Amino acid sequence: LMRHAVKRRIPVLSLYDDALQYDVFDGENIDEFLFYRIGLPPQNRIPKKIVNPQETPRNVLAVFGTDTVQGKFTTQLYLREALKRYMRIAHWATEPTGCLLGAEIGYSRTDESMTVEDRLAFERASIEELSGKYDLVITGGQNSIVFAAQGASKEDNVSTLIFDTLLPRYVVLTVSVDTAIKQIEDSIAYIAELADKYQIATRVIALAMMGGRKIRGSRWTETYFAPVDAATVVTAREKLQ
């Protein structure tokens, strides 16, 4: 889509990456003035040493979901604004619009030129630097934390990659009024499994439930929420309790 737009001389602003440099037009002769990208120049992303998991920041809170499109990013924004009254808050956004909504940094997924080790070193060093300046760093996952694509396992999903990189010590889990209890239990168990893998203490401290139901859409499509009556919300809350 971006290639097509630029060829038609339609200006493009790529929001996804404000952590690492990338270029989807490598080797092509295009008008650079039509393609604006957010990214750090190579000299600013020299990998630092990989931080030992036991020494990583303890003031990182991540919002993960039991399913796709449940308000993970919205919950991050609400938490960020609410907690700003009480402490210094930083936001490590995992959505492409994060940098437009006041996030200090964005999580990058597109640079394939770095090795896994170098990428981990860069991200871990970045979160360590950010956490030293703030009382709490809020971040989040993508899709369901227990999502498994066809032919893959949940260990390969993006939420797992984010957990493996930033090692959050606190988790807020988003659910909906019709989320199955088993899905919630599986999500909490998987978070505990990941924490055990890195020998860190991570706690699920809250569940966040939207007062609506997704009626159309997915990760890549527009999504609509239908209002849910108060009795349904109360019943769902009682089930979760």
Side-chain angles (χ1 to χ4, degrees), residues 41-216:
Q43 64 267 23
N44 291 346
R45 59 179 176 89
I46 299 174
K48 304 174 185 178
K49 71 179 182 66
I50 296 179
V51 181
N52 185 287
Q54 285 84 352
E55 300 172 352
T56 53
R58 287 172 167 77
N59 58 339
V60 178
L61 182 152
V63 179
F64 290 114
T66 57
D67 198 356
T68 184
V69 193
Q70 286 185 331
K72 294 181 291 295
F73 186 60
T74 304
T75 299
Q76 293 170 49
L77 294 178
Y78 278 138
L79 280 173
R80 185 185 79 188
E81 297 309 310
L83 294 175
K84 273 184 177 179
R85 294 176 291 174
Y86 308 105
M87 61 182 74
R88 297 170 301 163
I89 298 291
H91 188 195
W92 184 303
T94 53
E95 289 291 339
T97 50
C99 53
L100 296 181
L101 297 174
E104 279 68 27
I105 191 172
Y107 189 84
S108 163
R109 295 189 295 172
T110 56
D111 189 343
E112 298 177 354
S113 65
M114 298 177 73
T115 65
V116 174
E117 290 76 17
D118 285 349
R119 168 60 180 274
L120 183 61
F122 176 86
E123 301 283 11
R124 288 262 182 89
S126 298
I127 193 69
E128 182 181 34
E129 181 180 359
L130 194 63
S131 66
K133 300 176 181 178
Y134 296 88
D135 298 316
L136 183 70
V137 179
I138 296 175
T139 186
Q142 292 284 354
N143 208 317
S144 163
I145 192 169
V146 290
F147 168 75
Q150 187 172 3
S153 68
K154 61 180 183 292
E155 287 79 11
D156 301 317
N157 70 40
V158 177
S159 284
T160 299
L161 174 62
I162 292 171
F163 188 104
D164 290 347
T165 303
L166 305 182
L167 301 176
R169 299 306 206 269
Y170 305 100
V171 170
V172 172
L173 197 61
T174 64
V175 301
S176 67
V177 291
D178 49 3
T179 299
I181 297 297
K182 185 179 186 306
Q183 185 85 351
I184 299 172
E185 292 173 339
D186 289 348
S187 300
I188 294 174
Y190 184 50
I191 291 168
E193 179 183 327
L194 290 174
D196 186 62
K197 172 184 175 182
Y198 290 101
Q199 298 181 320
I200 61 174
T202 299
R203 293 191 300 132
V204 177
I205 59 173
L207 301 179
M209 180 170 59
M210 297 187 69
R213 177 174 289 131
K214 181 179 67 177
I215 57 175
R216 176 173 177 266

